[in-house]
Amino acid sequence: MTYTPFFVHGEDRPSRWLITCDHATNLVPPEICGGDLGLAREDMERHIAYDVGAYEVSRHLGELLDAPVIAANFSRLVIDPNRGEDDPTLLMKLYDGSIIPGNRHADAAERERRLNMCYRPYHDALARLAARPATVIVSMHSFTRQLRGRDPRPWHIGILHTEDERLSRPLVAQLRAEDDLCVGVNEPYSGVLPGDAIDKHCTAFGRPNALIEIRNDLIGEHDGQRAWADRLAPILERALVDSGL
């Protein structure tokens, strides 16, 4: 079978929303290290390799919002689509205590090969979808409850943003109106990352956007994935109305 670096679901759906999932899978293409970066299976199944549960939430959310969904089909350890091409963390050799054997000797030529095989086709497709009129982008991610040697993270969900808060501000307000959620703003990470996917496809074009991080223990199974998508869809729609966009 021919390797496919991204998936698009519902390309012809008419909604203004576009759902993106940068870290959808933990796949290592067979053309890269024979499909094996040399990590133990348990490492490839945790957050260092992909955003656990985010792809399934994205697909269901796209159905509920009648919106197209685009998802990268390669592990962030192969090359990270949510980094700029000049970012030093684009191709990680050590992540949350795990050495990545298949990346240990990756040089500039190997980096360029992975960019051409995986990263650039994904971003080219994302750019084409984002160019539809009046597009509003939601970037779906998940985060681990606890990094090695760090304190547990208390948030159920985090909303990341740059200086553009047109959608994120009313979205945070809607989420904080839910009395059972601990909501982070630019938590567990900052939303400001020059060259990342939001910067590349939203900030550079003035497109409204929100990056959503859900704690991955809440969406590790099918029921949690669907429940979070079911919950987020009406919240996003209300937030868009409140934004006046």
Side-chain angles (χ1 to χ4, degrees):
M1 294 179 64
T2 302
Y3 168 63
T4 302
F6 60 87
F7 300 119
V8 176
H9 305 281
E11 182 167 356
D12 296 328
R13 290 172 184 161
S15 170
R16 291 179 64 190
W17 298 103
L18 170 61
I19 313 301
T20 70
C21 191
D22 299 327
H23 301 138
T25 80
N26 59 359
L27 180 76
V28 180
E31 297 86 350
I32 295 171
C33 301
D36 185 350
L37 292 174
L39 280 170
R41 183 180 187 180
E42 53 266 30
D43 270 336
M44 290 302 297
E45 291 178 353
R46 69 188 188 99
H47 71 98
I48 66 169
Y50 74 123
D51 281 357
V52 176
Y55 185 24
E56 292 76 13
V57 174
S58 298
R59 284 188 293 179
H60 189 44
L61 190 59
E63 293 171 359
L64 294 170
L65 295 174
D66 205 14
V69 178
I70 182 167
N73 184 32
F74 50 93
S75 172
R76 62 167 22 120
L77 298 179
V78 170
I79 198 152
D80 195 332
N82 196 34
R83 297 291 185 272
E85 290 196 16
D86 60 350
D87 192 302
T89 65
L90 178 71
L91 201 163
M92 294 289 280
K93 301 187 178 186
L94 175 69
Y95 197 161
D96 193 23
S98 292
I99 295 170
I100 321 303
N103 293 348
R104 192 172 209 168
H105 302 295
D107 57 11
E110 176 63 11
R111 174 181 167 279
E112 187 69 11
R113 189 172 78 93
R114 296 186 191 188
L115 283 168
N116 287 329
M117 182 184 299
C118 303
Y119 180 106
R120 288 172 181 150
Y122 170 67
H123 281 289
D124 288 347
L126 202 167
R128 177 175 53 80
L129 290 169
R132 300 174 312 148
T135 297
V136 179
I137 291 180
V138 173
S139 182
M140 290 300 309
H141 294 258
S142 71
F143 65 95
T144 187
R145 181 164 192 165
Q146 187 172 16
L147 292 169
R148 288 177 174 172
R150 305 284 186 89
D151 292 334
R153 292 159 162 171
W155 311 283
H156 300 108
I157 187 170
I159 305 301
L160 276 55
H161 64 83
T162 60
E163 67 278 359
D164 183 357
E165 299 180 59
R166 290 174 294 168
L167 179 60
S168 61
R169 188 186 305 113
L171 178 55
V172 168
Q174 288 287 339
L175 289 166
R176 285 184 168 167
E178 307 274 309
D179 58 13
D180 62 334
L181 291 182
C182 179
V183 181
V185 178
N186 278 341
E187 299 286 3
Y189 318 106
S190 168
V192 180
L193 184 60
D196 70 358
I198 291 293
D199 192 32
K200 190 187 302 284
H201 299 287
C202 298
T203 306
F205 296 93
R207 293 184 183 118
N209 64 89
L211 191 154
I212 298 177
E213 292 267 6
I214 303 174
R215 206 176 71 208
N216 65 17
D217 61 308
L218 304 175
I219 54 172
E221 304 294 338
H222 176 78
D223 288 351
Q225 294 154 7
R226 292 190 69 87
W228 270 93
D230 289 341
R231 188 172 196 175
L232 282 172
I235 288 174
L236 283 164
E237 294 280 40
R238 293 196 300 268
L240 185 59
V241 170
D242 290 349
S243 75
L245 292 164

